[in-house]
Amino acid sequence: MSFEHVSFAYRQEEAVAQALVLRDVDLRIGQGELVAIVGHNGSGKSTLAKLTNGILTPTEGTVTVTGIDTTDEARLLDIRQTVGMVFQNPDNQIVATLVEEDVAFALENLGVESSEIRRRVDWALETVGMSAYARHAPHKLSGGQKQRVAIAGVIAMRPRCIVFDEPTAMLDPVGRAEVMKTIAQLHREHNITVILITHHMNEAALCGRIVVMNEGKVLLDDKPAEIFKAYDQLHEVGLSVPQTVELTHRLGLGGAPALSVEECASALYSWVMEAGQLA
């Protein structure tokens, strides 16, 4: 997937430059990558997500998916079968009265053979850990379970890429953990390209690459350890860092940022031991 000099404005007016949400974005995401896109509200990250599969098309520049220009309306179905999307509110994606029927909905609309639908629905529900709920009513599920059903409906289409637009924003900590575990599993076991739009920096830290958006432009694009070294720059644009990074930074500990609790504990242990020796 590539963005080449992409700009976007929601209102096509004479002063387009003043209304741009995205400004001359160049971005390439390879097959099998796990990429987080972060930024404060209004930075353009959700707009970028909607450009990945033709929900929106660029005002200027080109977005291509497996070589297909997203403005090619004749190939829109191909694009959306290649790039699936999961949104913030799972209730907006759930349309059926039973979980398995909801997962089968898009496949039925595409005219997929019944036996193949059955195989895909069973596989998708097993993949997201929801097989036991196949005959349950979606509205009786927890938020995290609903989101996993929404993910099952997308992966049943066998996309090469899934864009998650703040999928944990409406969930409690347990639900967030469930969904992030599912996302990591999809990437690890099925080589699905994952683009995660999030404002939770601890979620971004789990990805192999972080793209930081600010005022419609790509501000930073690197591995998490490198991104969090830019502590002051992130704070200048209204972004926080994971608590482990915040703690080690405030204590003035050197070395790479602590991205996990284990790394933080190790850094603190080394710091305490060194302080004890100096004393």
Side-chain angles (χ1 to χ4, degrees):
M1 179 185 300
S2 69
F3 290 70
E4 297 182 3
H5 300 293
V6 170
S7 296
F8 180 82
Y10 281 99
R11 299 183 303 281
Q12 302 303 310
E13 53 190 35
E14 291 185 9
V16 170
Q18 297 178 11
L20 288 177
V21 179
L22 294 178
R23 302 170 183 271
D24 196 29
V25 171
D26 275 309
L27 187 65
R28 284 164 184 78
I29 297 174
Q31 178 60 36
E33 283 198 84
L34 174 53
V35 181
I37 298 179
V38 302
H40 59 75
N41 291 339
S43 63
K45 60 186 187 295
S46 288
T47 299
L48 188 147
K50 293 179 176 67
L51 287 164
T52 60
N53 76 343
I55 293 177
L56 299 175
T57 54
T59 302
E60 297 175 2
T62 306
V63 179
T64 56
V65 174
T66 59
I68 305 171
D69 190 323
T70 58
T71 61
D72 185 349
E73 294 186 4
R75 302 294 303 278
L76 197 55
L77 181 59
D78 293 330
I79 291 168
R80 290 183 179 170
Q81 286 182 304
T82 301
V83 182
M85 289 201 70
V86 176
F87 298 97
Q88 280 190 28
N89 189 347
D91 289 327
N92 292 339
Q93 288 184 261
I94 292 174
V95 297
T97 57
L98 290 178
V99 165
E100 63 180 6
E101 291 176 353
D102 190 81
V103 178
F105 181 78
L107 298 173
E108 291 170 344
N109 285 342
L110 289 174
V112 177
E113 183 183 285
S114 296
S115 59
E116 177 64 12
I117 290 176
R118 183 74 267 166
R119 281 193 294 271
R120 291 202 196 185
V121 169
D122 290 345
W123 169 79
L125 288 174
E126 181 180 358
T127 298
V128 302
M130 291 295 291
S131 295
Y133 296 87
R135 301 292 297 172
H136 282 57
H139 72 273
K140 293 184 178 180
L141 301 177
S142 69
Q145 290 171 331
K146 287 180 182 179
Q147 195 63 286
R148 283 189 282 161
V149 171
I151 294 171
V154 171
I155 65 172
M157 302 285 289
R158 302 283 173 86
R160 294 175 61 180
C161 173
I162 302 179
V163 179
F164 295 88
D165 189 4
E166 302 207 37
T168 66
M170 302 181 68
L171 304 179
D172 60 23
V174 173
R176 289 202 299 271
E178 289 176 355
V179 171
M180 288 305 300
K181 181 180 178 180
T182 300
I183 291 172
Q185 178 187 347
L186 288 172
H187 173 255
R188 182 179 63 253
E189 297 181 4
H190 302 284
N191 196 38
I192 293 175
T193 304
V194 172
I195 301 173
L196 174 65
I197 313 296
T198 182
H199 64 273
H200 292 293
M201 297 301 274
N202 60 324
E203 293 177 358
L206 300 174
C207 298
R209 174 182 169 195
I210 299 176
V211 176
V212 180
M213 301 291 297
N214 184 56
E215 296 183 352
K217 298 180 180 180
V218 175
L219 178 66
L220 300 168
D221 181 356
D222 213 326
K223 295 178 180 179
E226 297 302 315
I227 292 294
F228 295 129
K229 285 180 182 178
Y231 179 93
D232 292 335
Q233 193 173 7
L234 292 171
H235 277 267
E236 284 173 6
V237 297
L239 294 177
S240 62
V241 297
Q243 290 180 332
T244 53
V245 175
E246 183 73 35
L247 177 60
T248 53
H249 178 83
R250 291 197 177 195
L251 290 174
L253 305 187
L259 302 182
S260 67
V261 172
E262 291 77 15
E263 290 177 359
C264 184
S266 178
L268 289 172
Y269 177 79
S270 297
W271 177 61
V272 170
M273 293 299 292
E274 183 178 345
Q277 291 173 359
L278 291 174

PDB file of all heavy atoms in Angstrom, residues 45-74:
ATOM      1  N   LYS A  45      -5.233  11.162  11.324  1.00  0.00           N
ATOM      2  CA  LYS A  45      -5.003   9.715  11.313  1.00  0.00           C
ATOM      3  C   LYS A  45      -6.231   8.915  10.874  1.00  0.00           C
ATOM      4  O   LYS A  45      -6.102   7.945  10.119  1.00  0.00           O
ATOM      5  CB  LYS A  45      -4.492   9.234  12.674  1.00  0.00           C
ATOM      6  CG  LYS A  45      -5.400   9.483  13.859  1.00  0.00           C
ATOM      7  CD  LYS A  45      -4.705   9.080  15.152  1.00  0.00           C
ATOM      8  CE  LYS A  45      -5.663   9.158  16.335  1.00  0.00           C
ATOM      9  NZ  LYS A  45      -6.106  10.552  16.591  1.00  0.00           N
ATOM     10  N   SER A  46      -7.432   9.296  11.325  1.00  0.00           N
ATOM     11  CA  SER A  46      -8.636   8.562  10.919  1.00  0.00           C
ATOM     12  C   SER A  46      -8.992   8.834   9.461  1.00  0.00           C
ATOM     13  O   SER A  46      -9.514   7.954   8.761  1.00  0.00           O
ATOM     14  CB  SER A  46      -9.816   8.929  11.830  1.00  0.00           C
ATOM     15  OG  SER A  46      -9.642   8.357  13.117  1.00  0.00           O
ATOM     16  N   THR A  47      -8.712  10.039   8.991  1.00  0.00           N
ATOM     17  CA  THR A  47      -8.909  10.340   7.576  1.00  0.00           C
ATOM     18  C   THR A  47      -7.994   9.471   6.733  1.00  0.00           C
ATOM     19  O   THR A  47      -8.408   8.894   5.711  1.00  0.00           O
ATOM     20  CB  THR A  47      -8.623  11.830   7.296  1.00  0.00           C
ATOM     21  OG1 THR A  47      -9.536  12.621   8.051  1.00  0.00           O
ATOM     22  CG2 THR A  47      -8.777  12.144   5.812  1.00  0.00           C
ATOM     23  N   LEU A  48      -6.762   9.329   7.161  1.00  0.00           N
ATOM     24  CA  LEU A  48      -5.821   8.466   6.459  1.00  0.00           C
ATOM     25  C   LEU A  48      -6.344   7.033   6.400  1.00  0.00           C
ATOM     26  O   LEU A  48      -6.244   6.368   5.366  1.00  0.00           O
ATOM     27  CB  LEU A  48      -4.458   8.527   7.149  1.00  0.00           C
ATOM     28  CG  LEU A  48      -3.292   7.846   6.444  1.00  0.00           C
ATOM     29  CD1 LEU A  48      -1.992   8.601   6.710  1.00  0.00           C
ATOM     30  CD2 LEU A  48      -3.134   6.404   6.895  1.00  0.00           C
ATOM     31  N   ALA A  49      -6.934   6.562   7.511  1.00  0.00           N
ATOM     32  CA  ALA A  49      -7.479   5.207   7.542  1.00  0.00           C
ATOM     33  C   ALA A  49      -8.565   5.024   6.485  1.00  0.00           C
ATOM     34  O   ALA A  49      -8.613   3.995   5.793  1.00  0.00           O
ATOM     35  CB  ALA A  49      -8.044   4.910   8.933  1.00  0.00           C
ATOM     36  N   LYS A  50      -9.426   6.007   6.333  1.00  0.00           N
ATOM     37  CA  LYS A  50     -10.539   5.896   5.377  1.00  0.00           C
ATOM     38  C   LYS A  50     -10.066   5.990   3.924  1.00  0.00           C
ATOM     39  O   LYS A  50     -10.793   5.604   3.006  1.00  0.00           O
ATOM     40  CB  LYS A  50     -11.584   6.969   5.671  1.00  0.00           C
ATOM     41  CG  LYS A  50     -12.314   6.778   6.991  1.00  0.00           C
ATOM     42  CD  LYS A  50     -13.328   7.880   7.237  1.00  0.00           C
ATOM     43  CE  LYS A  50     -14.139   7.638   8.507  1.00  0.00           C
ATOM     44  NZ  LYS A  50     -13.337   7.740   9.733  1.00  0.00           N
ATOM     45  N   LEU A  51      -8.854   6.485   3.724  1.00  0.00           N
ATOM     46  CA  LEU A  51      -8.298   6.540   2.372  1.00  0.00           C
ATOM     47  C   LEU A  51      -7.704   5.203   1.937  1.00  0.00           C
ATOM     48  O   LEU A  51      -7.444   4.996   0.753  1.00  0.00           O
ATOM     49  CB  LEU A  51      -7.205   7.610   2.292  1.00  0.00           C
ATOM     50  CG  LEU A  51      -7.682   9.063   2.301  1.00  0.00           C
ATOM     51  CD1 LEU A  51      -6.512  10.003   2.610  1.00  0.00           C
ATOM     52  CD2 LEU A  51      -8.299   9.439   0.960  1.00  0.00           C
ATOM     53  N   THR A  52      -7.499   4.287   2.899  1.00  0.00           N
ATOM     54  CA  THR A  52      -6.820   3.036   2.564  1.00  0.00           C
ATOM     55  C   THR A  52      -7.662   2.087   1.730  1.00  0.00           C
ATOM     56  O   THR A  52      -7.111   1.235   1.032  1.00  0.00           O
ATOM     57  CB  THR A  52      -6.371   2.285   3.838  1.00  0.00           C
ATOM     58  OG1 THR A  52      -7.525   1.989   4.645  1.00  0.00           O
ATOM     59  CG2 THR A  52      -5.372   3.098   4.631  1.00  0.00           C
ATOM     60  N   ASN A  53      -8.984   2.190   1.817  1.00  0.00           N
ATOM     61  CA  ASN A  53      -9.797   1.255   1.026  1.00  0.00           C
ATOM     62  C   ASN A  53     -10.919   1.943   0.250  1.00  0.00           C
ATOM     63  O   ASN A  53     -11.926   1.326  -0.086  1.00  0.00           O
ATOM     64  CB  ASN A  53     -10.358   0.130   1.909  1.00  0.00           C
ATOM     65  CG  ASN A  53     -11.512   0.564   2.775  1.00  0.00           C
ATOM     66  OD1 ASN A  53     -11.719   1.755   2.981  1.00  0.00           O
ATOM     67  ND2 ASN A  53     -12.274  -0.400   3.272  1.00  0.00           N
ATOM     68  N   GLY A  54     -10.727   3.204  -0.045  1.00  0.00           N
ATOM     69  CA  GLY A  54     -11.657   3.880  -0.942  1.00  0.00           C
ATOM     70  C   GLY A  54     -12.900   4.446  -0.303  1.00  0.00           C
ATOM     71  O   GLY A  54     -13.789   4.918  -1.013  1.00  0.00           O
ATOM     72  N   ILE A  55     -13.005   4.428   1.031  1.00  0.00           N
ATOM     73  CA  ILE A  55     -14.128   5.119   1.666  1.00  0.00           C
ATOM     74  C   ILE A  55     -14.037   6.606   1.321  1.00  0.00           C
ATOM     75  O   ILE A  55     -15.035   7.259   1.038  1.00  0.00           O
ATOM     76  CB  ILE A  55     -14.106   4.907   3.198  1.00  0.00           C
ATOM     77  CG1 ILE A  55     -14.388   3.436   3.519  1.00  0.00           C
ATOM     78  CG2 ILE A  55     -15.142   5.796   3.882  1.00  0.00           C
ATOM     79  CD1 ILE A  55     -14.311   3.112   4.992  1.00  0.00           C
ATOM     80  N   LEU A  56     -12.801   7.114   1.351  1.00  0.00           N
ATOM     81  CA  LEU A  56     -12.501   8.450   0.858  1.00  0.00           C
ATOM     82  C   LEU A  56     -11.457   8.327  -0.248  1.00  0.00           C
ATOM     83  O   LEU A  56     -10.701   7.343  -0.283  1.00  0.00           O
ATOM     84  CB  LEU A  56     -11.948   9.340   1.974  1.00  0.00           C
ATOM     85  CG  LEU A  56     -12.847   9.595   3.190  1.00  0.00           C
ATOM     86  CD1 LEU A  56     -12.074  10.392   4.244  1.00  0.00           C
ATOM     87  CD2 LEU A  56     -14.122  10.329   2.794  1.00  0.00           C
ATOM     88  N   THR A  57     -11.398   9.297  -1.134  1.00  0.00           N
ATOM     89  CA  THR A  57     -10.359   9.327  -2.158  1.00  0.00           C
ATOM     90  C   THR A  57      -9.607  10.653  -2.059  1.00  0.00           C
ATOM     91  O   THR A  57     -10.179  11.662  -1.618  1.00  0.00           O
ATOM     92  CB  THR A  57     -10.950   9.164  -3.569  1.00  0.00           C
ATOM     93  OG1 THR A  57     -11.966  10.156  -3.772  1.00  0.00           O
ATOM     94  CG2 THR A  57     -11.544   7.773  -3.756  1.00  0.00           C
ATOM     95  N   PRO A  58      -8.333  10.673  -2.440  1.00  0.00           N
ATOM     96  CA  PRO A  58      -7.514  11.875  -2.240  1.00  0.00           C
ATOM     97  C   PRO A  58      -8.019  13.088  -3.011  1.00  0.00           C
ATOM     98  O   PRO A  58      -8.551  12.956  -4.112  1.00  0.00           O
ATOM     99  CB  PRO A  58      -6.134  11.451  -2.763  1.00  0.00           C
ATOM    100  CG  PRO A  58      -6.161   9.969  -2.809  1.00  0.00           C
ATOM    101  CD  PRO A  58      -7.573   9.581  -3.059  1.00  0.00           C
ATOM    102  N   THR A  59      -7.844  14.247  -2.414  1.00  0.00           N
ATOM    103  CA  THR A  59      -8.054  15.497  -3.131  1.00  0.00           C
ATOM    104  C   THR A  59      -6.905  15.713  -4.110  1.00  0.00           C
ATOM    105  O   THR A  59      -7.093  16.168  -5.238  1.00  0.00           O
ATOM    106  CB  THR A  59      -8.122  16.673  -2.140  1.00  0.00           C
ATOM    107  OG1 THR A  59      -9.183  16.428  -1.211  1.00  0.00           O
ATOM    108  CG2 THR A  59      -8.372  17.998  -2.859  1.00  0.00           C
ATOM    109  N   GLU A  60      -5.704  15.355  -3.659  1.00  0.00           N
ATOM    110  CA  GLU A  60      -4.515  15.396  -4.499  1.00  0.00           C
ATOM    111  C   GLU A  60      -3.680  14.152  -4.194  1.00  0.00           C
ATOM    112  O   GLU A  60      -3.735  13.604  -3.095  1.00  0.00           O
ATOM    113  CB  GLU A  60      -3.676  16.647  -4.210  1.00  0.00           C
ATOM    114  CG  GLU A  60      -4.379  17.958  -4.507  1.00  0.00           C
ATOM    115  CD  GLU A  60      -3.544  19.164  -4.087  1.00  0.00           C
ATOM    116  OE1 GLU A  60      -2.410  18.956  -3.610  1.00  0.00           O
ATOM    117  OE2 GLU A  60      -4.043  20.293  -4.229  1.00  0.00           O
ATOM    118  N   GLY A  61      -2.890  13.712  -5.164  1.00  0.00           N
ATOM    119  CA  GLY A  61      -2.022  12.566  -4.955  1.00  0.00           C
ATOM    120  C   GLY A  61      -2.720  11.251  -5.241  1.00  0.00           C
ATOM    121  O   GLY A  61      -3.859  11.216  -5.731  1.00  0.00           O
ATOM    122  N   THR A  62      -2.040  10.149  -4.913  1.00  0.00           N
ATOM    123  CA  THR A  62      -2.515   8.816  -5.264  1.00  0.00           C
ATOM    124  C   THR A  62      -2.360   7.845  -4.107  1.00  0.00           C
ATOM    125  O   THR A  62      -1.318   7.813  -3.449  1.00  0.00           O
ATOM    126  CB  THR A  62      -1.717   8.264  -6.464  1.00  0.00           C
ATOM    127  OG1 THR A  62      -1.774   9.199  -7.546  1.00  0.00           O
ATOM    128  CG2 THR A  62      -2.281   6.932  -6.927  1.00  0.00           C
ATOM    129  N   VAL A  63      -3.408   7.049  -3.860  1.00  0.00           N
ATOM    130  CA  VAL A  63      -3.343   5.926  -2.932  1.00  0.00           C
ATOM    131  C   VAL A  63      -3.500   4.658  -3.752  1.00  0.00           C
ATOM    132  O   VAL A  63      -4.459   4.527  -4.522  1.00  0.00           O
ATOM    133  CB  VAL A  63      -4.443   5.984  -1.860  1.00  0.00           C
ATOM    134  CG1 VAL A  63      -4.343   4.772  -0.937  1.00  0.00           C
ATOM    135  CG2 VAL A  63      -4.354   7.266  -1.051  1.00  0.00           C
ATOM    136  N   THR A  64      -2.573   3.724  -3.620  1.00  0.00           N
ATOM    137  CA  THR A  64      -2.672   2.468  -4.350  1.00  0.00           C
ATOM    138  C   THR A  64      -2.648   1.295  -3.381  1.00  0.00           C
ATOM    139  O   THR A  64      -1.918   1.307  -2.382  1.00  0.00           O
ATOM    140  CB  THR A  64      -1.541   2.305  -5.377  1.00  0.00           C
ATOM    141  OG1 THR A  64      -0.277   2.418  -4.709  1.00  0.00           O
ATOM    142  CG2 THR A  64      -1.635   3.353  -6.468  1.00  0.00           C
ATOM    143  N   VAL A  65      -3.463   0.287  -3.686  1.00  0.00           N
ATOM    144  CA  VAL A  65      -3.544  -0.941  -2.896  1.00  0.00           C
ATOM    145  C   VAL A  65      -3.265  -2.098  -3.839  1.00  0.00           C
ATOM    146  O   VAL A  65      -4.009  -2.302  -4.802  1.00  0.00           O
ATOM    147  CB  VAL A  65      -4.934  -1.093  -2.258  1.00  0.00           C
ATOM    148  CG1 VAL A  65      -5.056  -2.439  -1.555  1.00  0.00           C
ATOM    149  CG2 VAL A  65      -5.207   0.045  -1.287  1.00  0.00           C
ATOM    150  N   THR A  66      -2.197  -2.842  -3.570  1.00  0.00           N
ATOM    151  CA  THR A  66      -1.728  -3.907  -4.470  1.00  0.00           C
ATOM    152  C   THR A  66      -1.724  -3.429  -5.925  1.00  0.00           C
ATOM    153  O   THR A  66      -2.171  -4.135  -6.831  1.00  0.00           O
ATOM    154  CB  THR A  66      -2.572  -5.195  -4.334  1.00  0.00           C
ATOM    155  OG1 THR A  66      -3.952  -4.905  -4.642  1.00  0.00           O
ATOM    156  CG2 THR A  66      -2.490  -5.754  -2.930  1.00  0.00           C
ATOM    157  N   GLY A  67      -1.260  -2.207  -6.119  1.00  0.00           N
ATOM    158  CA  GLY A  67      -1.138  -1.654  -7.454  1.00  0.00           C
ATOM    159  C   GLY A  67      -2.398  -1.042  -8.023  1.00  0.00           C
ATOM    160  O   GLY A  67      -2.389  -0.494  -9.125  1.00  0.00           O
ATOM    161  N   ILE A  68      -3.508  -1.096  -7.280  1.00  0.00           N
ATOM    162  CA  ILE A  68      -4.785  -0.562  -7.761  1.00  0.00           C
ATOM    163  C   ILE A  68      -4.992   0.840  -7.198  1.00  0.00           C
ATOM    164  O   ILE A  68      -4.897   1.055  -5.985  1.00  0.00           O
ATOM    165  CB  ILE A  68      -5.966  -1.455  -7.334  1.00  0.00           C
ATOM    166  CG1 ILE A  68      -5.752  -2.899  -7.779  1.00  0.00           C
ATOM    167  CG2 ILE A  68      -7.274  -0.912  -7.906  1.00  0.00           C
ATOM    168  CD1 ILE A  68      -6.771  -3.861  -7.192  1.00  0.00           C
ATOM    169  N   ASP A  69      -5.276   1.784  -8.064  1.00  0.00           N
ATOM    170  CA  ASP A  69      -5.585   3.153  -7.649  1.00  0.00           C
ATOM    171  C   ASP A  69      -6.963   3.153  -6.998  1.00  0.00           C
ATOM    172  O   ASP A  69      -7.944   2.664  -7.583  1.00  0.00           O
ATOM    173  CB  ASP A  69      -5.571   4.071  -8.878  1.00  0.00           C
ATOM    174  CG  ASP A  69      -5.643   5.543  -8.514  1.00  0.00           C
ATOM    175  OD1 ASP A  69      -6.348   5.886  -7.549  1.00  0.00           O
ATOM    176  OD2 ASP A  69      -5.020   6.359  -9.216  1.00  0.00           O
ATOM    177  N   THR A  70      -7.074   3.708  -5.779  1.00  0.00           N
ATOM    178  CA  THR A  70      -8.346   3.668  -5.059  1.00  0.00           C
ATOM    179  C   THR A  70      -9.428   4.536  -5.700  1.00  0.00           C
ATOM    180  O   THR A  70     -10.593   4.460  -5.304  1.00  0.00           O
ATOM    181  CB  THR A  70      -8.169   4.096  -3.587  1.00  0.00           C
ATOM    182  OG1 THR A  70      -7.615   5.414  -3.537  1.00  0.00           O
ATOM    183  CG2 THR A  70      -7.262   3.124  -2.848  1.00  0.00           C
ATOM    184  N   THR A  71      -9.056   5.367  -6.663  1.00  0.00           N
ATOM    185  CA  THR A  71     -10.069   6.155  -7.373  1.00  0.00           C
ATOM    186  C   THR A  71     -10.696   5.372  -8.518  1.00  0.00           C
ATOM    187  O   THR A  71     -11.637   5.855  -9.151  1.00  0.00           O
ATOM    188  CB  THR A  71      -9.456   7.457  -7.938  1.00  0.00           C
ATOM    189  OG1 THR A  71      -8.413   7.131  -8.865  1.00  0.00           O
ATOM    190  CG2 THR A  71      -8.899   8.324  -6.826  1.00  0.00           C
ATOM    191  N   ASP A  72     -10.198   4.163  -8.796  1.00  0.00           N
ATOM    192  CA  ASP A  72     -10.739   3.323  -9.866  1.00  0.00           C
ATOM    193  C   ASP A  72     -12.003   2.625  -9.359  1.00  0.00           C
ATOM    194  O   ASP A  72     -11.939   1.578  -8.711  1.00  0.00           O
ATOM    195  CB  ASP A  72      -9.690   2.293 -10.291  1.00  0.00           C
ATOM    196  CG  ASP A  72     -10.125   1.457 -11.495  1.00  0.00           C
ATOM    197  OD1 ASP A  72     -11.320   1.534 -11.869  1.00  0.00           O
ATOM    198  OD2 ASP A  72      -9.282   0.734 -12.048  1.00  0.00           O
ATOM    199  N   GLU A  73     -13.160   3.209  -9.630  1.00  0.00           N
ATOM    200  CA  GLU A  73     -14.424   2.691  -9.099  1.00  0.00           C
ATOM    201  C   GLU A  73     -14.723   1.273  -9.580  1.00  0.00           C
ATOM    202  O   GLU A  73     -15.397   0.504  -8.887  1.00  0.00           O
ATOM    203  CB  GLU A  73     -15.575   3.631  -9.486  1.00  0.00           C
ATOM    204  CG  GLU A  73     -15.473   5.002  -8.813  1.00  0.00           C
ATOM    205  CD  GLU A  73     -16.689   5.867  -9.090  1.00  0.00           C
ATOM    206  OE1 GLU A  73     -17.634   5.379  -9.740  1.00  0.00           O
ATOM    207  OE2 GLU A  73     -16.690   7.032  -8.656  1.00  0.00           O
ATOM    208  N   ALA A  74     -14.221   0.908 -10.731  1.00  0.00           N
ATOM    209  CA  ALA A  74     -14.455  -0.436 -11.260  1.00  0.00           C
ATOM    210  C   ALA A  74     -13.730  -1.501 -10.431  1.00  0.00           C
ATOM    211  O   ALA A  74     -14.094  -2.679 -10.474  1.00  0.00           O
ATOM    212  CB  ALA A  74     -14.004  -0.513 -12.719  1.00  0.00           C
TER     213      ALA A  74
END
